[in-house]
Amino acid sequence: MATIDAQELRESIGRFRVLIVGRANAGKTTILQKVCNTTDQPEVYDAKGNKIDAGVVEASIKRGNHDITNEMVFKSNSGFVFHDSCGFEAGSEEEFESMKRFISERVHATKLEERIHAIWYCIPMDECCRTFQRSEEKFFLECDTGHVPVITVFTKFEALRPVAYGEIKKEIKGVSAEERSERIAQRVEELFTKTGVCDRLCDPENRTRPKFHVRLENMNKPNTNCNTLLERTTFALDNDELRLCLVSTQQSNLELCIKCAVVTLVDRAHQQSVLRQVDYEVNQYAIAKWFAHLQVRRGFIQSNNTLVMVLINGSQCLDCL
């Protein structure tokens, strides 16, 4: 059975390109490091592909000059290329307009490798009374992101917990640890709802509305990851090839590969049930393509009307029923 080469896929589409937007100190760099499984700083390149010294970039930012066209790439995962809005809420109207132009140009770029494929908008929750500021209002009201999905990322979500505890600590005095935890979690949800941020993000007057939102907490700890963000981004994409491109960059995220394969199989099973015919060869290809980074040594085995996929990666074997 033919396999799909991940490298060929990247060459046909290019790297997966993400614009990350949000205020300064929203935790954007930490998110990118988690996505790329590294603690290193990214290498920065200008629009012509020339590497820029990190000191020069930092100095420019401090002077209020930030070029959103600069590309950030991490050595640990060069399948991603990132662009940073770099805290435009503190900048001038000119900087905001520059971001709008960048989005418009990259959304409608003719070449696939120059397009942005997803936008992550970060909103920190460590100031829950200021979750939706003028910067958020302008972005969602004025920016045209076309078919590019926007994922809202609520960062520093753990900051709501001490606030919740402080408000109900007298009420939960003497209760069991389990009940205390449940009531604090409930109060966190109430605080989050009270901010009204989700309602404002989904306002029908907005030109852009997020496809999904993700909560991230304790991202400064070593055992945390951004798998949920990657999963939501994958399923927000309306193009199968772009999904494949994103999944192919996440070779260690086998769970995401499996979820994509299952969703594909369910969709095809529904279509084929309508047509009252089953094309096993098409189903086999549709599932295997999500595991482009694994070598298929044995294909699919049909047994009792069940597809069994056996994928070999070194000494590891995965059976997906």
Side-chain angles (χ1 to χ4, degrees):
M1 177 179 169
T3 60
I4 303 91
D5 186 86
Q7 185 61 35
E8 290 181 3
L9 180 64
R10 291 199 191 101
E11 289 175 357
S12 64
I13 298 179
R15 296 169 296 175
F16 194 83
R17 190 179 297 269
V18 177
L19 169 63
I20 188 164
V21 184
R23 311 167 206 164
N25 301 316
K28 293 179 291 181
T29 301
T30 302
I31 289 173
L32 302 187
Q33 289 172 326
K34 291 285 186 178
V35 166
C36 294
N37 193 28
T38 185
T39 57
D40 295 337
Q41 293 298 311
E43 295 181 337
V44 183
Y45 299 86
D46 64 21
K48 296 180 179 180
N50 301 312
K51 189 174 181 179
I52 307 174
D53 182 82
V56 173
V57 175
E58 186 175 351
S60 297
I61 293 173
K62 287 181 178 179
R63 291 195 303 270
N65 301 321
H66 173 65
D67 191 344
I68 196 172
T69 65
N70 286 345
E71 301 179 348
M72 298 187 296
V73 180
F74 290 88
K75 286 183 178 180
S76 60
N77 194 335
S78 59
F80 280 109
V81 56
F82 301 104
H83 297 270
D84 184 9
S85 69
C86 204
F88 69 86
E89 84 289 348
S92 63
E93 185 68 21
E94 182 181 352
E95 189 166 353
F96 178 75
E97 292 299 324
S98 176
M99 184 191 66
K100 282 178 61 177
R101 286 194 301 272
F102 173 80
I103 292 175
S104 179
E105 291 170 0
R106 293 305 182 103
V107 163
H108 303 292
T110 304
K111 296 181 179 180
L112 281 174
E113 62 269 23
E114 294 179 357
R115 294 180 188 173
I116 51 174
H117 304 128
I119 299 173
W120 295 340
Y121 197 108
C122 300
I123 300 179
M125 299 303 297
D126 54 348
E127 294 183 80
C128 57
C129 59
R130 301 175 65 242
T131 54
F132 204 87
Q133 299 182 11
R134 177 58 178 162
S135 52
E136 282 76 38
E137 183 179 352
K138 285 175 64 65
F139 177 89
F140 289 98
L141 190 63
E142 299 180 27
C143 289
D144 179 12
T145 61
H147 294 291
V148 176
V150 177
I151 313 297
T152 305
V153 186
F154 296 110
T155 63
K156 305 181 181 181
F157 205 82
E158 72 279 0
L160 292 180
R161 186 174 175 84
V163 178
Y165 173 75
E167 292 186 356
I168 63 172
K169 63 180 179 180
K170 292 182 180 180
E171 302 172 23
I172 60 177
K173 187 176 181 179
V175 304
S176 67
E178 182 178 357
E179 183 179 351
R180 181 167 61 248
S181 180
E182 289 178 357
R183 291 176 66 174
I184 291 174
Q186 181 181 354
R187 186 57 180 155
V188 165
E189 292 301 318
E190 292 170 355
L191 287 171
F192 181 63
T193 301
K194 187 178 178 180
T195 65
V197 63
C198 287
D199 292 335
R200 299 189 70 176
L201 287 169
C202 297
D203 190 322
E205 295 296 321
N206 290 344
R207 192 171 188 180
T208 290
R209 291 189 289 276
K211 195 78 171 282
F212 295 112
H213 75 260
V214 175
R215 304 175 182 183
L216 297 181
E217 52 186 308
N218 298 317
M219 296 307 292
N220 59 323
K221 295 184 178 180
N223 61 338
T224 53
N225 60 59
C226 287
N227 288 352
T228 303
L229 173 58
L230 290 167
E231 180 181 323
R232 292 291 186 273
T233 304
T234 300
F235 289 109
L237 298 167
D238 59 5
N239 182 296
D240 231 22
E241 289 187 339
L242 284 178
R243 286 186 180 182
L244 281 167
C245 183
L246 176 53
V247 170
S248 72
T249 67
Q250 296 300 298
Q251 297 187 7
S252 61
N253 195 345
L254 191 57
E255 182 180 354
L256 179 58
C257 298
I258 294 172
K259 286 182 178 180
C260 288
V262 170
V263 169
T264 299
L265 184 58
V266 170
D267 288 344
R268 290 194 174 276
H270 175 72
Q271 295 170 9
Q272 292 170 359
S273 66
V274 173
L275 298 173
R276 295 185 179 180
Q277 62 183 24
V278 179
D279 191 328
Y280 290 107
E281 185 175 349
V282 171
N283 287 345
Q284 291 168 9
Y285 179 86
I287 297 173
K289 69 182 182 181
W290 298 106
F291 301 86
H293 55 283
L294 298 181
Q295 179 183 0
V296 179
R297 191 157 61 192
R298 294 177 59 191
F300 287 74
I301 305 168
Q302 182 185 348
S303 175
N304 298 324
N305 296 321
T306 301
L307 287 178
V308 181
M309 178 170 61
V310 182
L311 298 173
I312 309 296
N313 182 16
S315 59
Q316 297 179 346
C317 175
L318 170 70
D319 293 344
C320 299
L321 301 182

